[in-house]
Every structure is written in C-alpha cells, then in structure tokens.
Amino acid sequence: MAQALREAARGLGRTAPNPPVGCVIVSGGEVVGRGFHPRAGEPHAEVFALRGAGERARGGAAYVTLEPCSHFGRTPPCADALIAAGIARVVVAALDPNPRVAGRGVERLRAAGIEVTVGVQEPEAVRQQAGFRSLVTRGRPWVVYKYAMTLDGKVAAVGEGSGAVTSAQSRARVMQWRNELDAIAVGIGTVLSDDPALTTRGIKDGRDPRPVIFDRQARTPVTARALRPGTIIVTSPGAETTHLEEVGAVIVRAEALPDALGELRELDLSSLLLEGGPRLASSLFAECLVDEVRTFIAPKLLGAGLPPLNNAAYSMTDARALRDVQLEALGPDLLVTGLLNDIPRLEVPGALGER
Amino acid sequence: MAQALREAARGLGRTAPNPPVGCVIVSGGEVVGRGFHPRAGEPHAEVFALRGAGERARGGAAYVTLEPCSHFGRTPPCADALIAAGIARVVVAALDPNPRVAGRGVERLRAAGIEVTVGVQEPEAVRQQAGFRSLVTRGRPWVVYKYAMTLDGKVAAVGEGSGAVTSAQSRARVMQWRNELDAIAVGIGTVLSDDPALTTRGIKDGRDPRPVIFDRQARTPVTARALRPGTIIVTSPGAETTHLEEVGAVIVRAEALPDALGELRELDLSSLLLEGGPRLASSLFAECLVDEVRTFIAPKLLGAGLPPLNNAAYSMTDARALRDVQLEALGPDLLVTGLLNDIPRLEVPGALGER
C-alpha cells in the first residue's frame, strides 16, 4: 500500500475534482503492474495498473488507495475492470465518501467472489485525499494555511524588503506543496505589498498552482505577477472587473467567504494553499474555514512585526486545538503541521473490513 | 564526567556566587567518591569526593566539571587538596573563567606531576555553569526568557482568567527551572494582573527562587503573593518604597536595565528566569540583555492576544538568530531552547589539553 500511496502522490494537484489514486498489482510475490490517476478525464489508477500487468493480473492482488468506483462516470467502473481481469484479492486503503460509491465498489467486488480488505494505511490515504473528500462531502476545497514565523510569533517585519523568515530547505518544501495543491490563495494586501509570482520553482515536472486572489474591491493591478490567464479573482458582487477579465482573469463574486469557497468548488479546486496575509487568514480562521495549518518556526527573535493571525479571542480557553500534530526539523527550522477540522471519511463498518 | 555533571546539578540554584560543581573519584575501575558544591561557604565538590574516597583516592582519577581552584577563597585551593590526596589523574570539563583561576588550577596540578585532561563534555559543563560564568566575566546574571505561546504566537489572551497555554508536563518543567535558577523575574504588569506566587511547586527538596519585581514606580501592593522577606524590587532612584521595605523587600534602584542587572550581581544572583510579561522582556531584549530563550509552543491557535515580544524591528533581517537550538516534544507541546548570547568560556589552549 505504501507503494500505491507513492503512485497516487504523482497525481497530487492534477486530478481535481477527482481524487489522487494509486494502484499496485502483485502476483506471484512480485509487482506486475502499477498506475496512478493522472488527471480528470483520463483513466483511473486501476486501469493503468491492469494494463501493465496484462495476463499476469489473473489470480493476483490489487492494492488501491481508494475504493474502486462502481459507477459510470467519465470512465467505466473500475470494480468491473478488476473483476474482468480475474483479480483474486483487493486491498483498499479507504472507502470512497462520494455518495455514488460509498461502499458499493467493495460490495460489487465481493459479489463477484473477490476477497476484499479495507482500512490498510487508511490515515495516510485519507490525508492524501483531503481535497477530494472535502469537495464531495462539504462542497468546498480543503484549506491549508501555511505560514512561517520567528520564535516570537512574527510572520513579517513592518518594513519593506523584509527578507525571508525561514531557510532554503523550508522554502523548498513550500514549492513542493505548491506543486501538490490545486490552488494558491493570497489576499489583495499581499499582492499590493509583495507582488508575489505564486509559481512553483525548482521542482522537477512541477506545475504552477492556480492563483486565487481575495480582492473585495478588485484592486489587483493588471501588472501583478500573479495575474495570468486563469487566475481567479474573488471579489464582491458589484466590483468593476473588466480590466482584469481582459487579461484572462476568472471572476468569482461572493458576499461571504463560505460562498466564495463554494464557488471555487465549481472551478474544480479541491485544495487551497493559503499563503497570506494574516488578514485573509484571520477572516477564514474566524469562520472555521481553515482546515489545516503548516507552520514553519525559525529559531530567531524579531521583537516586532505582524502575527500569523489577528482577530478576536477573549480567553486562552478559546484557542482551537490542532489534531494529528506532526513535528519535523527542517534544516535550522521547525515544521509543525496539524488539522483544525476533520478530513471527511467513511467509517469502515465491520461488514466491510476483512472477511 | 556525566556522573560528575549530575552531581553538580544538585547544587543548581544554591551555589551563587559560586558555580555548581560536581566531582567523581574513580580508583581501580570503580567510583570511590563523589561530591558536589552545595552552597557558597561550604566545601567544594572535590573536598566531599575526597572525603568519600579516603585512602582509596591515592593513585586514582578525579573527574571534575570545573577546573579546580588554585587560590584561597573561603576555602583552601582544591588543586592542593587533590595533590595532597595523591590523585594521579584529573579530568576537567571546562576551565574556570574566573581571572583568579583561568588555567592556574590546571598548571598547579601539572606542576605536581598529575596528568590533566581538559575539555571533556565541555559544552554541557559550560551550559550548566552559565550563571557563574556570566557573573565572573560580565558582572551580571545570565537571563533566561521563558514563555509559552500558541502556534500563532500568542502568550496570553486579552481577557481575564485566560487559562494555561501549555500542558501539565510543560508547567512541571517550569517548576524544575524555578528550582534551578537563582531568581525569578517579572514586570509589575504581571504582578498587578496575575498576582503570581512565583514559588516552586511539586519538586522534591525544591526551594523557591528569589522573586525580582521590575517596578519602576514601586506600585507592588504589599499584599502581592510574590512579596516575601527578601523579594527584590527593582525601581527608580526616586521611588517611595517605605511600605515595601517594611514587609522585608530588598530595594534595588537603577535608572537603566544594565545597571539593574549589575546590582543583582551584588546580591549574588547569577541567573534570572524571566517569566513575563512581554513588556519587560521586550525592554531587556532590545538591550541584548536576554541571553537565552526557552519557548513552549502549544499546538493550538488563538487568533488574538499578546505576543511574547513587542518592540521595534523594521526588517526581518533584524531578527536575532538563536544558537545551540534544541527541540523537545513535551507531552502535546514543543519546547525550543536556544542562546542569544554566548556563554563566556576560556578556550582550551593546546598546551592545556591532554598531554
């Protein structure tokens, strides 16, 4: 399953609104086929793995990171393909929360006499599929707030030309995330003050995430580096946006942040890497729309500057705890990640586990 | 040497203006004596260890965390005691930066034909002796700023009854530090808002650090829990303090913070655990008077509140880097420690190392 998860990871940031899925087929003690879902409209992971395995799939076992589909979407059901290929055993990491599947893929395989095990490395799979799971069950992308701060809690100094908070290693990790998440979001304040390009740099076969600029009054300059054909401007219903549309921007109009995120779902964005600034992050945090945080902490003290969040809280007991906290030393920096909201998942009922 | 360092640790917080020192005597492959310096005026570590070893010291090796003294202070020179006992080999962790010793202890031993090795576990020893080293070379205590913050960099909420930032494990660690450092410092703001007792709780054979209240206008209420006989009030030259003196407070008058710290040296305080608030910490930080930070980070987000430091910095390049950074997971929290200033030490010259 670890190999299947690595296969799936190759599709991260490319498959929405579909999930990233990986599949490995084992026969006679060796891997005979592997595949991943490269993008929506193209075949699913199981199909690539079965193609690779050919006749050797017969009697073999398929390891797949998400329950095989049981319905006709843009491609025929993968459960049927596994059955037709003569697979004897299927190991599934996690059930598909899509109401059109939701256990029916496993049922279909079992009805055909295939032995099915569900729940192997489920936590890893669910985390990898957070965007897809958010999209199909909550109708909005999974929002990850990434920030880098000093040990005294400052994400930026007050002056211009502030310099980087963290090390090159940490900044390289951010590039990896930009390559893996569907979109990258910033507030208009960040665009006006920093003019970031919001591109993926230094990653082999990397691709740029889609920029999303939260810009209530449509103040984004047409010369902004993040403004490319396809860049999304989230603005208010009445804002004048002709100049932005002329350079290829896609306009999303919404009064409230939850509505705006719902609109992004319509644009097939399953995950959003929120890179700043503190004002936008604070607004999303206040409405419980930040699902995950990824915090770099640099071992230095600044003294003054902007905090990562700055809204209203009266008592320390108002603090929201992170779950699934992970720590990593990254060069001189520290990386802390954790979830504020649960990733939607289906409980594996006893009847669906191994039998 | 590790055993000698553990011996020395037993004196932490009790020996100022002397250093904490440990000594272990090994003969015939076994430990025959051990000792530590319990407090100023009492015998040094070597004396206790030699007493324990008795005649077995002859021909043995002494492991000592600090260079044996060569001068007559309140007690005779330890170098002479080691020579008289017939010790054949002395292993020293670190040289004594006290100008009255500074290598002369080692020279004295060698002149008596004893084999001396210097520099074994020196970094650990130097760190353990930070307070003493600061006192004898800089004339002021070693200042440790301890704070606990949320992952969004807040040490406190704005409301009352804020609740604890960190877990019970982290708070227990703070009690350990209170037991090991000479004094505990807070600003008058903290006294007025929180009325902390500043005592050591839950530590076997623990003792309370000496409270130091930075209180420019002498506003400390006579009912303050931290106000005990011996509590130090650092105030301005003209402040009216009769009411505080009547309850046993010791008054230190100084215009500027460096002077105030110099006065604490006269009161035999070698180390200061600065527990808040942010205003006092910011003032000390601005004058480069914070030597070390110990930061607890709780995996939760508050949104709003007070930062650990809040003074003036214009650019991220103004940030001051920590050295010797150490990370530790402590229950759900993370502990980051590091140095802002170097601990004074003497280089071990080639001639003083092993020979």
Side-chain angles (χ1 to χ4, degrees):
Chain A
M1 190 60 77
Q3 287 191 41
L5 285 165
R6 277 198 296 276
E7 283 293 320
R10 299 172 65 186
L12 279 171
R14 283 105 174 128
T15 62
N18 289 356
V21 182
C23 178
V24 169
I25 294 175
V26 176
S27 186
E30 61 180 319
V31 173
V32 296
R34 60 178 76 229
F36 69 98
H37 182 46
R39 76 183 59 240
E42 295 197 21
H44 291 185
E46 296 91 326
V47 173
F48 285 107
L50 287 171
R51 276 186 200 164
E55 265 310 303
R56 288 174 296 173
R58 197 158 300 278
Y63 291 81
V64 57
T65 59
L66 184 70
E67 180 183 11
C69 63
S70 54
H71 63 291
F72 281 85
R74 301 193 218 185
T75 60
C78 289
D80 293 4
L82 292 166
I83 294 166
I87 288 287
R89 180 166 178 245
V90 175
V91 181
V92 173
L95 294 179
D96 186 342
N98 184 339
R100 294 198 294 177
V101 185
R104 278 193 283 274
V106 168
E107 283 167 17
R108 198 166 179 126
L109 293 170
R110 285 192 173 139
I114 293 177
E115 181 194 343
V116 183
T117 303
V118 181
V120 174
Q121 287 197 258
E122 197 209 10
E124 294 88 336
V126 165
R127 195 135 180 175
Q128 192 180 57
Q129 301 153 6
F132 166 73
R133 290 172 177 275
S134 176
L135 222 52
V136 297
T137 66
R138 310 187 305 177
R140 69 167 180 84
W142 181 255
V143 177
V144 177
Y145 181 28
K146 165 254 142 182
Y147 58 94
M149 68 181 193
T150 56
L151 193 56
D152 60 326
K154 308 299 190 305
V155 297
V158 289
E160 291 159 27
S162 281
V165 176
T166 49
S167 63
Q169 287 109 310
S170 295
R171 296 199 301 277
R173 180 66 59 90
V174 174
M175 289 300 155
Q176 191 178 318
W177 295 337
R178 287 187 179 180
N179 183 45
E180 292 175 353
L181 276 81
D182 294 336
I184 184 169
V186 292
I188 179 64
T190 297
V191 169
L192 294 177
S193 66
D194 301 350
D195 193 22
L198 304 181
T199 52
T200 300
R201 297 178 293 276
I203 302 284
K204 189 169 175 295
D205 298 327
R207 68 93 186 88
D208 293 334
R210 195 153 173 190
V212 180
I213 302 172
F214 285 79
D215 179 10
R216 172 154 287 281
Q217 297 165 64
R219 292 186 291 152
T220 300
V222 292
T223 56
R225 295 166 71 204
L227 192 58
R228 310 187 262 277
T231 290
I232 295 166
I233 307 283
V234 178
T235 191
S236 55
E240 167 54 45
T241 56
T242 316
H243 59 299
L244 298 170
E245 288 170 76
E246 276 168 1
V247 293
V250 173
I251 309 298
V252 165
R253 295 181 190 277
E255 277 293 0
L257 285 171
D259 301 337
L261 293 184
E263 292 295 323
L264 295 181
R265 186 255 172 281
E266 300 305 317
L267 293 168
D268 288 347
L269 298 181
S270 74
S271 56
L272 207 59
L273 184 64
L274 174 64
E275 291 216 18
R279 186 177 303 182
L280 173 59
S282 296
S283 301
L284 289 164
F285 177 71
E287 302 204 41
C288 294
L289 296 173
V290 175
D291 298 306
E292 179 178 344
V293 292
R294 299 181 185 180
T295 307
F296 293 100
I297 303 172
K300 56 189 180 186
L301 299 177
L302 182 58
L306 302 179
L309 289 173
N310 205 1
N311 25 21
Y314 187 71
S315 164
M316 189 54 72
T317 55
D318 295 341
R320 293 190 59 207
L322 298 179
R323 280 155 282 181
D324 294 341
V325 176
Q326 293 177 9
L327 306 178
E328 182 182 347
L330 207 62
D333 305 321
L334 182 72
L335 171 60
V336 182
T337 63
L339 308 184
L340 280 165
N341 295 324
D342 286 328
I343 303 172
R345 61 181 285 275
L346 289 182
E347 281 297 326
V348 179
L352 279 175
E354 187 148 17
R355 71 177 181 193
Chain B
M1 190 60 76
Q3 287 191 42
L5 285 165
R6 278 198 295 277
E7 284 294 318
R10 298 172 65 186
L12 280 169
R14 282 108 175 125
T15 62
N18 288 356
V21 182
C23 178
V24 169
I25 294 175
V26 176
S27 185
E30 61 179 319
V31 173
V32 296
R34 59 179 74 229
F36 68 97
H37 182 46
R39 77 183 57 239
E42 296 197 20
H44 290 186
E46 296 90 327
V47 173
F48 285 107
L50 287 172
R51 277 187 199 163
E55 265 310 302
R56 290 174 296 174
R58 197 158 300 276
Y63 291 81
V64 57
T65 60
L66 184 69
E67 180 183 11
C69 63
S70 54
H71 63 292
F72 281 83
R74 299 194 219 186
T75 60
C78 290
D80 293 3
L82 292 165
I83 295 164
I87 289 287
R89 180 167 178 244
V90 175
V91 181
V92 173
L95 293 180
D96 187 342
N98 185 339
R100 295 198 292 176
V101 186
R104 279 193 283 273
V106 168
E107 283 166 18
R108 197 166 180 124
L109 293 169
R110 285 192 176 141
I114 293 178
E115 180 194 344
V116 183
T117 303
V118 180
V120 174
Q121 287 198 259
E122 196 210 11
E124 294 88 337
V126 166
R127 195 135 180 173
Q128 193 180 56
Q129 300 154 5
F132 165 73
R133 290 172 177 275
S134 177
L135 221 51
V136 297
T137 66
R138 309 187 307 175
R140 69 167 180 85
W142 182 255
V143 177
V144 177
Y145 181 28
K146 164 255 145 185
Y147 59 94
M149 68 180 195
T150 57
L151 193 55
D152 60 325
K154 308 299 190 304
V155 296
V158 289
E160 292 160 26
S162 282
V165 176
T166 49
S167 64
Q169 287 108 311
S170 296
R171 296 199 301 278
R173 180 65 59 90
V174 174
M175 289 300 154
Q176 191 178 317
W177 295 338
R178 286 187 180 181
N179 183 45
E180 292 174 352
L181 277 83
D182 294 336
I184 184 169
V186 293
I188 178 63
T190 297
V191 170
L192 294 177
S193 66
D194 300 350
D195 192 21
L198 305 180
T199 52
T200 299
R201 297 179 292 276
I203 301 284
K204 189 170 174 296
D205 298 326
R207 68 94 186 86
D208 294 334
R210 194 154 175 190
V212 180
I213 302 173
F214 285 80
D215 179 11
R216 173 154 285 282
Q217 296 164 65
R219 292 186 291 151
T220 300
V222 292
T223 56
R225 296 167 71 204
L227 192 56
R228 308 188 263 279
T231 291
I232 295 166
I233 308 285
V234 179
T235 191
S236 55
E240 166 54 45
T241 56
T242 315
H243 58 299
L244 297 170
E245 289 171 75
E246 276 169 0
V247 294
V250 174
I251 309 298
V252 166
R253 297 182 189 277
E255 277 293 0
L257 285 170
D259 301 336
L261 293 184
E263 291 295 323
L264 296 181
R265 185 254 175 280
E266 300 305 317
L267 293 167
D268 287 346
L269 298 181
S270 73
S271 56
L272 207 60
L273 184 63
L274 173 64
E275 292 216 18
R279 186 177 303 180
L280 173 59
S282 297
S283 300
L284 289 163
F285 177 73
E287 301 202 43
C288 294
L289 296 173
V290 175
D291 298 306
E292 178 179 345
V293 292
R294 300 182 183 178
T295 307
F296 293 100
I297 303 172
K300 56 190 180 185
L301 298 177
L302 183 59
L306 302 179
L309 288 174
N310 204 3
N311 26 19
Y314 187 73
S315 163
M316 189 55 71
T317 54
D318 295 339
R320 293 190 59 208
L322 298 179
R323 280 156 282 179
D324 295 340
V325 176
Q326 293 178 10
L327 306 178
E328 181 182 347
L330 207 61
D333 306 320
L334 182 72
L335 171 60
V336 182
T337 63
L339 307 185
L340 280 165
N341 295 326
D342 286 328
I343 303 173
R345 60 182 283 277
L346 289 183
E347 280 298 327
V348 179
L352 279 175
E354 188 148 18
R355 70 178 179 196

